[in-house]
Amino acid sequence: MTDATPYGELRVNYDGETLEMSDMAPAPLTQFQRWFADVLEEGLPEPNAMVVATASLDGTPSARHVLLKQADERGFVFYTNYESRKGRELTANPHASLVFPWFAMYRQVTVVGRVQRVSREESAEYFATRPHGSRIGALASHQSSELEDRAVLEQRWRELAEQYPDDVPLPDSWGGFLVIPETIEFWAGRRSRLHDRLQYVHVGGAEVSMLDAQQWRIRRLSP
């Protein structure tokens, strides 16, 4: 059976702004913050949504959207269940790629780096800021495991909500991952697919700092 959907005919002629070396901040965190401020001003939905790509030890990849919760000189932080597929893969193979798909602005940011867990204290501090229902959800869901029926999950949630009407304990299996970048690429869509791609490459410093311009080199990549 032939699929009549014209996938190959769907195309947009990107008309983004020129991205020059002189436009870039000396340090990648500053550049990311500039673009993120533009996204907020533009009012894009879920501006902190990003694709997290991971791989198992045998190289099998997987990807999903999660929400960025912190970007600072250390790198990029998100939270998840450590026993989920991404949690297990990041524990076994602590490397990841992040993609921020801001296509409405003809922009994209891609991060590649190594990964480590944030401290239990940092995870607890963020967990306490989540809505009560979301904290209960973190307890109720055995993320990525097979679920016999949604009703089972909803019943578990109701029981835990009754058990913890106020304070909700941080699950042992829940916490943050820090992606420590080795490269950060800023992509701007241009006409005729001659896109601009400028990439920060970490070139020095045992402890990565996204605010130390001396640790980074900026290079242009072919589209």
Side-chain angles (χ1 to χ4, degrees):
M1 180 175 175
T2 302
D3 187 343
T5 304
Y7 299 107
E9 299 174 15
L10 298 174
R11 56 177 58 88
V12 174
N13 197 15
Y14 299 130
D15 195 18
E17 76 276 22
T18 302
L19 192 58
E20 300 288 356
M21 288 283 194
S22 58
D23 298 326
M24 308 301 284
L29 179 60
T30 306
Q31 183 63 36
F32 181 82
Q33 290 170 334
R34 286 179 183 175
W35 272 26
F36 197 81
D38 291 343
V39 172
L40 292 177
E41 185 176 355
E42 189 72 14
L44 298 189
E46 298 281 25
N48 59 328
M50 60 184 184
V51 177
V52 177
T54 60
S56 63
L57 281 176
D58 67 4
T60 302
S62 63
R64 74 291 290 162
H65 280 93
V66 303
L67 298 178
L68 174 71
K69 293 302 179 181
Q70 181 68 31
D72 55 36
E73 63 179 335
R74 301 171 302 164
F76 301 86
V77 176
F78 68 92
Y79 291 87
T80 189
N81 188 313
Y82 289 140
E83 296 176 358
S84 66
R85 177 172 180 173
K86 59 183 171 298
R88 296 194 307 270
E89 290 182 349
L90 288 172
T91 298
N93 181 16
H95 298 84
S97 179
L98 312 176
V99 180
F100 295 87
W102 299 325
F103 294 125
M105 299 179 67
Y106 307 137
R107 289 179 177 180
Q108 176 177 274
V109 177
T110 302
V111 179
V112 176
R114 57 189 174 86
V115 178
Q116 66 184 39
R117 294 187 183 189
V118 304
S119 70
R120 181 77 172 169
E121 291 74 21
E122 185 172 348
S123 291
E125 183 177 354
Y126 171 71
F127 188 75
T129 70
R130 303 183 87 205
H132 180 263
S134 296
R135 283 178 280 156
I136 294 295
L139 275 178
S141 176
H142 303 151
Q143 194 175 103
S144 298
S145 64
E146 184 174 354
L147 184 63
E148 179 182 353
D149 189 280
R150 182 175 177 84
V152 174
L153 175 63
E154 293 177 344
Q155 178 61 30
R156 188 185 305 148
W157 188 95
R158 287 192 293 270
E159 292 172 354
L160 288 168
E162 184 176 345
Q163 182 178 355
Y164 300 107
D166 299 309
D167 292 335
V168 181
L170 174 66
D172 291 337
S173 60
W174 196 95
F177 281 111
L178 168 68
V179 180
I180 304 168
E182 297 166 357
T183 62
I184 308 175
E185 179 188 318
F186 292 81
W187 176 98
R190 302 292 305 283
R191 285 186 176 275
S192 302
R193 295 300 189 261
L194 297 180
H195 311 308
D196 285 326
R197 298 174 61 193
L198 296 183
Q199 184 186 65
Y200 291 82
V201 181
H202 186 249
V203 294
E207 185 172 336
V208 174
S209 171
M210 291 213 301
L211 279 175
D212 184 357
Q214 299 301 314
Q215 293 190 12
W216 300 89
R217 178 172 73 89
I218 306 176
R219 62 181 183 177
R220 180 177 289 277
L221 302 179
S222 296

